Amino acid sequence: MSTLTVKGNWNIAKGKLKQKFAQLTDDDLQFVEGKEDELIGRIQKRTGQTKEEIERAVDECCACKR
């Protein structure tokens, strides 16, 4: 999968995550390759959801599974 495709899929996933968790900001969802745990932690801190719930939500929203 090309970098452009991954970025496009991530942008779609961000939109879906923002719909699911309205309190998330663009800064919360800034994805840096290799820092998936940091991303999950930021979402967890903002939403109060468990790590497992967030991972499931990200998997549901993202066509480019981690």
Side-chain angles (χ1 to χ4, degrees), residues 31-57:
F31 177 77
V32 177
E33 188 175 349
K35 297 205 176 194
E36 293 88 355
D37 288 337
E38 183 180 325
L39 172 68
I40 297 294
R42 283 189 300 217
I43 297 171
Q44 186 176 14
K45 182 178 178 182
R46 181 72 72 169
T47 65
Q49 302 282 323
T50 67
K51 180 178 180 179
E52 291 78 18
E53 290 171 320
I54 294 165
E55 287 176 340
R56 188 171 37 254

Side-chain angles (χ1 to χ4, degrees), residues 2-62:
S2 74
T3 303
L4 186 58
T5 302
V6 170
K7 285 182 181 180
N9 288 340
W10 178 242
N11 286 332
I12 292 167
K14 280 193 322 187
K16 289 180 180 180
L17 287 168
K18 286 168 113 179
Q19 288 175 357
K20 186 172 181 83
F21 304 111
Q23 64 270 42
L24 294 176
T25 66
D26 286 333
D27 287 342
D28 293 327
L29 295 172
Q30 186 173 8
F31 177 77
V32 177
E33 188 175 349
K35 297 205 176 194
E36 293 88 355
D37 288 337
E38 183 180 325
L39 172 68
I40 297 294
R42 283 189 300 217
I43 297 171
Q44 186 176 14
K45 182 178 178 182
R46 181 72 72 169
T47 65
Q49 302 282 323
T50 67
K51 180 178 180 179
E52 291 78 18
E53 290 171 320
I54 294 165
E55 287 176 340
R56 188 171 37 254
V58 170
D59 285 344
E60 289 171 1
C61 293
C62 187

